[in-house]
Structures are given as C-alpha cells and as structure tokens.
C-alpha cells in the first residue's frame, strides 16, 4: 500500500450511493483501526456507536435537522455511520479497567512497572482536571486521533468517508442516553461509496505549499 498515494486520493464524500454497502469484513477492519488508535497515556477515552441499519442511521439523523439538515443525506444514504463519543471524565473505574487490560496484555515486567504506569497516567489526569482544567478538551483530542486513523484507514480500503461536526449534539446525546454513560458525542463519520452527485470526488485536492506548512530546523 502506498500510504502517500492514499492520502492524496482520499476526499470527503458529499453524496453517497445508497444502494452500495461496505462489506462487513471491511468495516470490521475500520472498527479494529479505531480500537488500535493511539491516545495520550493509552487513555482510550472513547466509545463508538456504529449504525448500519436504516433504523440505526435514522436515529443518528435525528441530530441533522434545522441548520444541520444538509448532513442528513450523508447519514441516511451512507452504508455505515459512526458516532465518535468521548468520556466526560477519567474516573477510577476507567483507570482501573485500563490498568487491568494492560496487565492481561503483558505490558508490565513487574509490579513496579505496573505502579509506574498507573501513577504516570493518574498524574496526567490530575493535571488536566485541576491545573489546566481542560479535561473534556484533552479527552476529545484523543477521539480526533481515532477519527484521523479511521479516515486514512478507510481510504486505504477503498471506502469513502465523511467526517461531520455539523449535528445537534444535545439531540444525539439524548437519543443514545450518552450522559448517563459518562459520554458525549463529539463528531460523526459516514462510510460508504460516493455517488455521481458527489461533486467533491472530481475536484483536485488543494493544500497550502510545503514552505507555508513546515519549518525545518
């Protein structure tokens, strides 16, 4: 796989072919990419709601109304839609869950290594909770790492995708009872195959020049 060619080729789909579905084995790969995305101190502060049925997509599309109505068809006509959710806090239960999983996966050579990982992660949590006081923003940043991983991964599999921040978060959070689960919706992404109505598919990619984008020292 030529990852640079994939990055150059991918685009944000503006219209989907509702008759075409992404094979489940390919979407399972996208889901696996989400699970294996990087996150600060391996915090994994996310949850993903995958809507693949007409009923499921209709529930997500409830949040695309009014000023966000332009995104409704990108949800309803797509093969799959994923709601990217962030934890609203890093509570003890989640921290203990992470540590236990790391132990099962063999990441600690001894008890001291386990204790060090736990102390380091909790140190970051305290910093963002009490010092910088930006806990929700810090956790949401990790979710966007997962989004980027999924978008590039989908393109490598020949799947079109559309990231969307244009939706009513309050409606979506209530629809799926997210607050009761300690979660909040952050961003949506549709996956499928673009239709002929997708004007963006035929446009050249536009990026600022390298000298305006990088500083090499």
């Amino acid at each position: 796989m030529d990852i640079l060619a994939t990055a150059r080729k991918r685009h944000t789909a503006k219209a989907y072919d509702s008759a075409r579905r992404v094979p489940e084995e390919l979407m399972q790969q996208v889901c696996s990419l989400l699970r294996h995305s990087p996150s600060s101190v391996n915090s994994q502060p996310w949850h993903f709601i995958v809507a693949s049925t007409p009923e499921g997509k209709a529930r997500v599309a409830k949040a695309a109304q009014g000023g966000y109505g332009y995104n409704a068809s990108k949800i309803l006509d797509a093969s799959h839609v994923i709601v990217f959710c962030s934890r609203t806090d890093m509570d003890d239960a989640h921290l203990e869950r992470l540590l236990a999983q790391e132990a099962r996966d063999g990441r600690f050579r001894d008890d001291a290594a386990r204790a060090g990982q736990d102390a380091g992660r909790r140190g970051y949590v305290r910093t963002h909770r009490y010092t910088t006081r930006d806990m929700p923003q810090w956790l949401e940043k990790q979710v966007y790492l997962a989004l980027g991983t999924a978008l590039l991964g989908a393109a490598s599999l020949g799947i079109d995708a559309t990231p969307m921040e244009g939706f009513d978060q309050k409606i979506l959070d209530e629809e799926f009872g997210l607050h009761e689960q300690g979660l909040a919706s952050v961003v949506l992404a549709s996956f499928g195959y673009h239709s002929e109505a997708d004007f963006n598919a035929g446009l050249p990619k536009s990026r600022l020049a390298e000298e305006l984008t990088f500083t090499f020292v």
Side-chain angles (χ1 to χ4, degrees), residues 52-70:
S52 61
T53 64
E55 295 78 13
K57 289 182 289 185
R59 292 182 67 185
V60 177
K62 289 180 181 180
Q65 56 181 276
Y68 303 117
Y70 59 90

Side-chain angles (χ1 to χ4, degrees), residues 145-175:
L145 292 177
L147 174 65
T149 298
L151 293 179
L152 185 58
S156 74
L157 296 170
I159 303 169
D160 294 317
T162 308
M164 290 173 278
E165 290 183 317
F167 66 97
D168 191 315
Q169 293 176 312
K170 184 176 184 294
I171 291 176
L172 200 59
D173 290 357
E174 290 178 353
E175 175 66 26

